Amino acid sequence: MSQAQLRALEAYTRMMDVNGTAQIFRAAVELGVLDALETGQKTAAQLAAACQVEQEPAELLLGALCAAGVIEQYADHFALAQVMHLMPSEFRDLGDRYWQHLAEFIRTGKSIPHVETSALDETDFHVER
């Protein structure tokens, strides 16, 4: 395999990793895993019960979330990583509400509406301290 092909394969693998991490994070948000951990550490069994999911696949998700640095494991318990304590829950969409305008911006050159003239309000930009 040529060096150019190896670089292309490495670039593809990096893109897949980034996408996979985002999908894992979104699944955790959708299933309520992060919300369940806001009240404190829990075991995989406790999280599976709280989120009404099967324990074995939940354990796979928890392992991936640990690898991504979203949660941490202490013996049999899982807890939110420090970064999650700094991220208000309203930002758990990872900025999707802004990124969803990217294709339209590229197509038309029009940026997202200014706050004063859009359906977005100050709560879309508020950071709790």
Side-chain angles (χ1 to χ4, degrees), residues 47-100:
L47 283 166
C51 299
Q52 300 178 334
V53 298
E54 295 295 320
Q55 184 172 336
E56 192 171 328
E59 289 172 353
L60 295 173
L61 177 64
L62 294 171
L65 290 168
C66 285
V70 175
I71 64 173
E72 298 169 346
Q73 185 172 5
Y74 303 98
D76 293 336
H77 287 79
F78 296 88
L80 290 176
Q82 191 62 36
V83 68
M84 297 309 300
H85 293 289
L86 299 174
M87 180 188 295
S89 59
E90 63 265 20
F91 292 146
R92 288 188 182 160
D93 70 349
L94 300 178
D96 283 346
R97 66 184 119 174
Y98 306 110
W99 286 107
Q100 69 188 7

Side-chain angles (χ1 to χ4, degrees), residues 9 11 17 19-20 50 52 63 65 70 74 80 103 112 116 118 123 126:
L9 185 57
D17 288 346
N19 186 45
Q52 300 178 334
L65 290 168
V70 175
Y74 303 98
L80 290 176
I112 63 171
E116 303 84 36
S118 75
T123 61
H126 178 69

Side-chain angles (χ1 to χ4, degrees), residues 1-14:
M1 192 175 285
S2 73
Q3 287 300 317
Q5 289 171 321
L6 283 174
R7 284 191 303 274
L9 185 57
E10 288 170 353
Y12 175 76
T13 302
R14 280 191 306 274

